[in-house]
């Protein structure tokens, strides 16, 4: 796609590209500033995309910018301006109409392949004095921009997500390294805004690349809500009737959750805690986004994640959070999990006794959390809980035609709910 530029503007672009390529940091910084603040404003979305891709007359802008972003030989200012410039041009190109959509999607896939290794490398930990570790990219504002650039690329692909999942080999995009970088570095970064932007990126990836998120679900969940607890070999977690309350001690012991205190669920900012719960719901919903029957993919791994990782951490802090917005997010998460688990009367596939017991145990504990949200001191939380529960009509949990039918679910697990509540009160 040829660019339609005035000769003066084309000459200015070539001059900027030449200055960026030079080793002089001052020339590079000034050229990047002109590109972002002056030249980009004069381009329409079609020319912005063409400039990023390059042609026989003008070198690819994204190649030049990525070279600056990935090199510590350039100053912090140059790397930051290059990151801002790439983000600005991508956002400008993404404002195009439907005629440009296919070209933009194809380009975004190409750029993700080139950008993913750079993204992973810049977040890679390196040892510094005193035995501490820092990312290769030490400037937190640049790390934030790196996440925002990836988010723009994934959002571009959001419209064509079905074709992407079917036609593109996800491994070729190196998204596994991206997920690892997010979980091990970005989500545990000291910069709160970077944590939040990483959550937004994960939520978009859940829509566009659910298969990739499913592969890294446990790794991503750990910095969000905390670690998993071990499962006893001789006891099946969640069945109070057969094993008694002693089998539950490992589930709710604060000692087992001591490594979870740095998770986003326990962050000092309510906005971050709320976003962590929303992101957990998005990750777990990837398992229910496929077209097969829900019973088929509600496998032991998914149930274990809910019972051994999600519920223990959420139960420990979620219902008692001081922020009503966080408790509202909890109400949404609880109902999204309820929607994933088939009601006993609606299960069509044969399940093992242990699996059935685990699923029923998860259901009863989720219902307790829902009851806590419905009876919350905040009217807003109560309303959110009721609205979210009403959306379960027609889901895997069973069809609720009216409020009386919905009560049948509570009645089915009444004894388990009471015993769980007695146990909680006694702790």
């Amino acid at each position: 796609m040829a660019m339609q530029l005035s000769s003066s503007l084309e000459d200015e672009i070539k001059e900027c590209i030449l200055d960026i390529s030079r080793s002089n940091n001052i020339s590079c910084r000034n050229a990047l500033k002109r590109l972002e603040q002056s030249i980009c404003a004069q381009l329409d979305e079609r020319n912005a995309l063409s400039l990023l891709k390059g042609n026989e007359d003008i070198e690819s802008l994204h190649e030049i910018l990525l070279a600056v972003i990935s090199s510590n030989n350039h100053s912090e200012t140059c790397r930051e301006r290059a990151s801002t410039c790439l983000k600005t041009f991508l956002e400008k190109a993404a404002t195009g109409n439907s005629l440009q959509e296919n070209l933009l999607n194809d380009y975004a896939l190409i750029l993700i392949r080139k950008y993913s290794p750079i993204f992973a490398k810049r977040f890679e930990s390196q040892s510094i004095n005193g035995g501490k570790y820092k990312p290769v990219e030490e400037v937190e504002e640049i790390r934030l921009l790196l996440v925002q650039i990836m988010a723009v690329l994934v959002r571009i692909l959001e419209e064509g997500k079905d074709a992407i999942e079917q036609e593109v080999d996800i491994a070729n995009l190196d998204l596994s390294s991206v997920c690892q970088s997010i979980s091990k570095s970005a989500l545990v970064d000291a910069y709160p805004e970077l944590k939040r932007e990483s959550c937004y990126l994960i939520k978009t990836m859940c829509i566009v690349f659910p298969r990739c998120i499913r592969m890294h679900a446990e790794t991503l969940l750990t910095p969000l809500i905390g670690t998993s607890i071990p499962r006893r070999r001789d006891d099946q977690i969640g069945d109070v009737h057969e094993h008694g309350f002693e089998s539950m001690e490992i589930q709710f012991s604060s000692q087992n959750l001591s490594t979870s205190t740095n998770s986003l669920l326990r962050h000092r900012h309510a906005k971050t805690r709320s976003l962590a719960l929303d992101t957990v719901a998005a990750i777990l919903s990837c398992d229910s986004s496929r077209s097969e029957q829900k019973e088929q993919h509600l496998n032991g791994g998914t149930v274990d994640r809910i019972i051994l990782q999600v519920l223990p951490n959420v139960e420990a802090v979620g219902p008692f959070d001081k922020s009503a917005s966080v408790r509202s997010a909890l109400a949404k998460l609880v109902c999204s999990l309820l929607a994933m688990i088939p009601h006993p009367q609606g299960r069509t596939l044969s399940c093992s006794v242990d699996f059935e017991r685990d699923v029923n145990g998860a259901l009863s504990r989720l219902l307790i959390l829902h009851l806590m949200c419905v009876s919350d001191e905040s009217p807003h939380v109560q309303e959110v809980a009721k609205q979210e529960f009403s959306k379960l009509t027609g889901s895997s949990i069973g069809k609720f035609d009216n409020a009386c039918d919905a009560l049948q679910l509570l009645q089915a697990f009444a004894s388990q709910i009471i015993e769980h509540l007695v146990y909680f009160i006694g702790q």
Side-chain angles (χ1 to χ4, degrees):
M1 185 168 58
M3 284 182 282
Q4 298 177 353
L5 305 173
S6 66
S7 58
S8 59
L9 181 57
E10 185 171 341
D11 289 341
E12 186 178 0
I13 292 172
K14 290 179 179 179
E15 183 181 347
C16 284
I17 290 176
L18 183 61
D19 287 342
I20 294 171
S21 303
R22 289 173 177 162
S23 57
N24 188 310
N25 278 318
I26 296 177
S27 298
C28 178
R29 180 190 64 198
N30 293 336
L32 288 166
K33 183 177 180 180
R34 293 202 307 276
L35 267 175
E36 177 201 349
Q37 298 182 0
S38 175
I39 294 175
C40 187
Q42 301 179 55
L43 301 176
D44 59 20
E45 60 274 8
R46 185 168 56 86
N47 284 329
L49 177 59
S50 297
L51 183 56
L52 283 168
K53 295 170 68 175
N55 56 33
E56 62 276 6
D57 296 321
I58 298 179
E59 188 177 351
S60 167
L61 180 60
H62 80 242
E63 295 283 4
I64 295 171
L65 295 176
L66 289 179
V68 176
I69 293 170
S70 61
S71 174
N72 279 347
N73 293 328
H74 287 89
S75 67
E76 294 177 3
T77 303
C78 287
R79 296 200 307 276
E80 183 173 2
R81 285 202 178 277
S83 301
T84 304
C85 193
L86 180 57
K87 176 174 171 282
T88 302
F89 271 81
L90 285 171
E91 289 173 337
K92 185 65 172 283
T95 60
N97 54 39
S98 58
L99 295 176
Q100 182 166 294
E101 186 175 306
N102 290 336
L103 291 173
L104 189 60
N105 287 342
D106 292 342
Y107 170 73
L109 286 170
I110 293 171
L111 189 51
I112 285 179
R113 289 190 185 96
K114 296 182 178 181
Y115 181 59
S116 293
I118 296 173
F119 181 94
K121 182 65 178 177
R122 301 309 293 176
F123 277 99
E124 192 176 274
S125 295
Q126 60 176 351
S127 178
I128 60 173
N129 294 335
K132 297 182 179 180
Y133 289 86
K134 277 190 174 183
V136 171
E137 180 49 74
E138 297 187 12
V139 183
E140 60 184 20
E141 289 83 4
I142 300 178
R143 295 198 299 273
L144 176 62
L145 284 166
L146 294 176
V147 172
Q148 291 174 336
I149 290 169
M150 183 63 77
V152 173
L153 289 169
V154 178
R155 282 199 301 271
I156 288 172
L157 298 171
E158 190 172 348
E159 292 298 322
K161 61 182 182 300
D162 295 332
I164 291 168
E165 276 288 291
Q166 294 172 8
E167 298 175 9
V168 176
D169 184 357
I170 303 300
N172 288 339
L173 299 180
D174 201 15
L175 292 174
S176 289
S177 67
V178 172
C179 289
Q180 292 291 332
S181 298
I182 293 171
S183 63
K184 294 180 179 180
S185 184
L187 285 174
V188 298
D189 199 282
Y191 189 21
E193 189 62 28
L194 178 55
K195 294 176 185 282
R196 290 191 284 268
E197 283 295 327
S198 298
C199 287
Y200 292 128
L201 172 57
I202 294 171
K203 290 172 67 175
T204 311
M205 290 182 69
C206 287
I207 299 171
V208 182
F209 302 116
R211 186 151 43 100
C212 180
I213 295 298
R214 283 195 294 269
M215 291 169 54
H216 299 276
E218 184 173 358
T219 306
L220 290 168
L221 287 171
T222 297
L224 289 169
I225 57 171
T227 55
S228 299
I229 61 173
R231 175 189 282 277
R232 285 185 175 183
R233 293 183 179 180
D234 57 336
D235 287 334
Q236 289 296 325
I237 292 173
D239 184 47
V240 185
H241 296 290
E242 186 167 333
H243 297 283
F245 292 121
E246 65 275 5
S247 68
M248 297 174 63
E249 291 177 2
I250 194 169
Q251 284 180 263
F252 308 109
S253 169
S254 59
Q255 182 179 1
N256 288 298
L257 300 178
S258 60
T259 55
S260 301
T261 54
N262 293 326
S263 67
L264 268 66
L265 184 59
R266 297 168 185 257
H267 195 269
R268 65 184 184 277
H269 295 155
K271 181 179 179 181
T272 303
R273 300 196 300 274
S274 177
L275 187 55
L277 290 172
D278 290 343
T279 309
V280 170
I283 291 172
L284 294 174
S285 70
C286 288
D287 275 335
S288 60
S289 63
R290 287 176 281 181
S291 59
E292 299 92 349
Q293 287 183 309
K294 293 186 188 316
E295 296 97 324
Q296 289 178 320
H297 61 73
L298 190 68
N299 52 39
T302 304
V303 174
D304 278 353
R305 264 199 295 274
I306 294 174
I307 292 179
L308 301 176
Q309 187 171 17
V310 177
L311 282 175
N313 288 289
V314 168
E315 287 167 336
V317 295
F320 315 106
D321 197 289
K322 295 180 180 179
S323 170
S325 64
V326 176
R327 300 197 301 276
S328 296
L330 172 64
K332 294 178 182 179
L333 171 62
V334 168
C335 287
S336 70
L337 293 178
L338 284 171
M340 291 177 58
I341 302 177
H343 188 283
Q345 298 176 351
R347 294 173 197 163
T348 59
L349 299 181
S350 59
C351 302
S352 68
V353 175
D354 291 343
F355 181 76
E356 189 85 12
R357 185 170 52 212
D358 281 353
V359 172
N360 289 342
L363 261 177
S364 61
R365 291 167 67 182
L366 287 168
L367 289 170
I368 291 173
L369 289 173
H370 173 68
L371 290 174
M372 295 177 75
C373 293
V374 170
S375 57
D376 193 274
E377 64 182 18
S378 167
H380 176 69
V381 177
Q382 294 178 21
E383 187 61 27
V384 170
K386 293 174 184 177
Q387 289 178 356
E388 292 298 317
F389 196 77
S390 68
K391 295 177 183 178
L392 295 178
T393 301
S395 71
S396 63
I397 201 169
K399 293 185 177 181
F400 303 140
D401 295 326
N402 52 56
C404 293
D405 291 334
L407 290 176
Q408 293 177 3
L409 182 64
L410 299 177
Q411 293 168 354
F413 293 93
S415 60
Q416 290 155 300
I417 290 173
I418 292 173
E419 292 187 25
H420 278 302
L421 286 172
V422 170
Y423 177 82
F424 290 143
I425 294 170
Q427 294 305 296

